[in-house]
Amino acid sequence: MDSTKAMARRILRDYGETYVHEAGIRLRDTPAPLYQLLVLCVLLSAPIRAATAVAAARELFAAGFRTPRRMAGSGWQDRVDALGRAHYRRYDESTATALGEGAQLLLDRWHGDLRALRDEAGGDPGRVRELLQELPRIGPAGADIFCREVQAVWPELRPFADARVRDAASGVGLPRAPGRLAELVPRPEFARFADGLVRVSLTRGAADRLRAV
């Protein structure tokens, strides 16, 4: 096994937990888990620790806000309270508003089903990113996170590697090109690999340890 594939295996083994899994989302190509991923992306889009965003997603889901209809029908203060329980501070009120408005827009435009957004985009990753950014609080970074995670169940987006993934790959001596990165792991594992690279970039000393092996 060449050194790049060996490193990819170590990244999968030691850092390859997706944020979706950490948030307790059982990702499938069905409306509810796809929406839960969108909620997680909204939360991760704020300049806040990823662990706090994941905890906030868990609190919202525990409160029953697991579908766009339930989110749109929830009270603004109930959403604020759920975010507060996860210590999602400073952005709790604006995020509660964005979640309510985004859920209603998703219901009105795509009937609450993000697969309809994918169909409107023709499965093109660039167009998927554009359409996602029509939702409140989803900017380029949030759209990248969504595509990075959803490629596990939307294979037409694979291999999706945003700039953060590519920079992390370069930082440990792996190729930057998504196609070349995809050659290092089984295709169904690419979402885990991409998230693993992001986690490497966020973990102090991780890149140095990987390069030293």
Side-chain angles (χ1 to χ4, degrees):
M1 181 183 300
D2 66 45
S3 60
T4 56
K5 286 191 175 181
M7 180 179 286
R9 287 189 61 179
R10 290 195 298 273
I11 290 169
L12 278 175
R13 181 191 68 203
D14 297 338
Y15 301 98
E17 182 183 20
T18 63
Y19 289 103
V20 162
H21 181 267
E22 188 180 355
I25 301 167
R26 295 182 179 179
L27 189 59
R28 299 185 302 279
D29 190 21
T30 54
L34 291 172
Y35 174 67
Q36 291 158 28
L37 167 58
L38 181 69
V39 169
L40 178 61
C41 292
V42 169
L43 297 168
L44 286 166
S45 293
I48 203 163
R49 292 177 62 247
T52 302
V54 167
R58 285 182 168 274
E59 287 291 344
L60 287 164
F61 303 152
F65 311 146
R66 305 179 71 89
T67 68
R69 195 163 301 281
R70 291 295 299 273
M71 186 71 78
S74 66
W76 178 82
Q77 188 62 52
D78 292 331
R79 298 193 295 273
V80 170
D81 291 346
L83 295 169
R85 289 193 293 273
H87 307 290
Y88 195 92
R89 306 297 188 195
R90 292 181 59 198
Y91 306 99
D92 52 350
E93 295 187 354
S94 61
T95 300
T97 299
L99 287 169
E101 293 177 350
Q104 191 59 57
L105 176 58
L106 182 57
L107 288 166
D108 292 343
R109 179 161 177 183
W110 293 294
H111 309 290
D113 190 345
L114 283 158
R115 294 174 301 180
L117 179 151
R118 176 191 60 194
D119 293 344
E120 182 177 331
D124 176 70
R127 183 60 178 148
V128 168
R129 288 182 75 258
E130 290 175 1
L131 291 174
L132 286 168
Q133 291 178 68
E134 296 184 19
L135 293 156
R137 190 59 71 82
I138 296 289
D144 282 344
I145 295 168
F146 184 91
C147 291
R148 193 168 73 218
E149 300 274 344
V150 84
Q151 67 183 319
V153 294
W154 287 2
E156 60 268 46
L157 267 61
R158 281 188 222 133
F160 184 88
D162 56 275
R164 192 164 194 175
V165 172
R166 298 193 303 272
D167 289 346
S170 179
V172 294
L174 294 178
R176 289 181 60 89
R180 292 187 62 195
L181 284 173
E183 295 172 357
L184 302 178
V185 297
R187 289 185 69 82
E189 299 284 4
F190 192 76
R192 282 209 309 125
F193 182 46
D195 267 9
L197 283 165
V198 172
R199 288 182 185 273
V200 166
S201 72
L202 295 173
T203 303
R204 184 184 298 274
D208 291 337
R209 289 192 294 273
L210 284 165
R211 287 193 299 265
V213 174

